[in-house]
Amino acid sequence: MAKFQVELKRVVDDSYEIEIGYGLIPVLINDIANGLAGKAHKFAVVTDTNVEPLYARPVLEALREKGYQADLFVFEAGEKSKTRETKAMIEDAMLAAGYQRDCCIIAVGGGVVTDLAGFVAGTYGRGVPFINYATTVLAAADASVGGKTAVDTPLATNLIGLFNQPEKVYLDLDTWKTLPQREICSGMAETIKHACMADEAFFSYLEEHLEEILRVEKMPCEHVAERNCQIKYHVVMQDERESGLREILNLGHTVGRAIETVSDYRLLHGEAVSIGLVAEAHLSRHLGFLSDEEVERMTALLRRAGLPVRIPDDIDREALVKKLYTDKKVRDGKLRFVVQSRIGGIQCFGNNIYATEVSEETARHILKEL
């Protein structure tokens, strides 16, 4: 019998630009005209029901005015829509509209939109280019940057997906002005997470300017957007595929994602992550890393940001413990947590190891404290 060695070595440049500004739709259209999407001549604008009238339709109209073929693909807003079924619905609608491999997907919206649209782009026609136009504080801080795309299933969160980098990311700060206050507060959880894991000076800045940020004042919001991107892309550049360091971006998410799911998404992502950050702070103190003063400082900032810091009474603690085992950091059936060494630093547990095993008993004890 013959054997053949198929040599497929390659070097891929997945670099992309993040542009932060105001009223960026004309910039997006101009970039496309200058070749941002390559040879693509059809544009699928993917969005949700909340964002569609505010920003996705203006993007669509601007594309058509420039002479491009473009269509809207809209799904129901909310985390419950981040499913394989929604992904299939978008794909089927694109197929029915005649979209082939010569198209580009533009995600206009928050984290659910960018996660879904990026996943569709990675598999549609075995891969088509996509662009993120982020419209929420949360997406600007987290989902639109880094290339992680996924859907949720009843058994796990974000475990069905792929790494797929966009052509460019636009953070339009004008869009923050149309967000409900609850969404702005939710978005601050990922911002506070970044400060907790990487930059105590940024944490102090948030303590000093929090009310201005919540009022969406120009200068502090620009600083928040820029510092979030700097912190996240510094991590992603070193570990795109989450082989070690990138796990630190999951700070607060082991408990946070579990609470989000067990609450049946009554809590927004940032609200659940806020509780997860407090749980992680308690765990860090239990392990001998954070002081009482640091735990209180974190809790106070989250509370000031209008975020919950305790697990709602109607959430079953045992169901929550069970849900922890669906976290993507679990190894060999053992719970693993990312923990802080201090405000602005993450504890390292060995060569490129940033999560530590925690017993179920300890996890249950921490949850009972909240």
Side-chain angles (χ1 to χ4, degrees), residues 132-150:
N132 279 338
Y133 196 97
T135 64
T136 66
V137 180
L138 190 65
D142 185 39
S144 68
V145 178
K148 286 171 71 173
T149 72

Side-chain angles (χ1 to χ4, degrees), residues 335-354:
L335 296 174
R336 297 170 70 246
F337 284 73
V338 175
V339 295
Q340 293 171 254
S341 57
R342 57 183 173 82
I343 291 178
I346 295 294
Q347 183 64 32
C348 182
F349 296 94
N351 184 26
N352 203 33
I353 300 172
Y354 294 92

Side-chain angles (χ1 to χ4, degrees), residues 16 82 111-119 130 132 142-151 157-166 193 232 235-236 239-243 246-251 253 257 327-329:
Y16 60 92
K82 204 174 85 172
V112 173
V113 173
T114 59
D115 274 7
L116 261 173
F119 193 7
F130 80 105
N132 279 338
D142 185 39
S144 68
V145 178
K148 286 171 71 173
T149 72
V151 294
T157 300
N158 284 339
L159 276 179
I160 308 298
L162 48 78
F163 291 95
N164 189 26
Q165 304 297 345
K193 177 203 76 176
K232 185 161 186 181
V235 173
V236 172
D239 181 18
E240 181 190 357
R241 301 281 168 162
E242 204 169 48
S243 61
R246 188 165 177 167
E247 281 193 327
I248 71 173
L249 295 173
N250 272 248
L251 184 72
H253 282 60
R257 278 295 193 184
D327 185 71
K328 58 191 172 186
K329 294 185 296 300

Side-chain angles (χ1 to χ4, degrees), residues 88-125:
M89 180 270 290
I90 295 169
E91 291 163 341
D92 288 346
M94 288 176 61
L95 288 169
Y99 279 74
Q100 302 292 330
R101 296 189 67 186
D102 56 352
C103 73
C104 174
I105 291 174
I106 303 177
V108 183
V112 173
V113 173
T114 59
D115 274 7
L116 261 173
F119 193 7
V120 171
T123 59
Y124 195 86

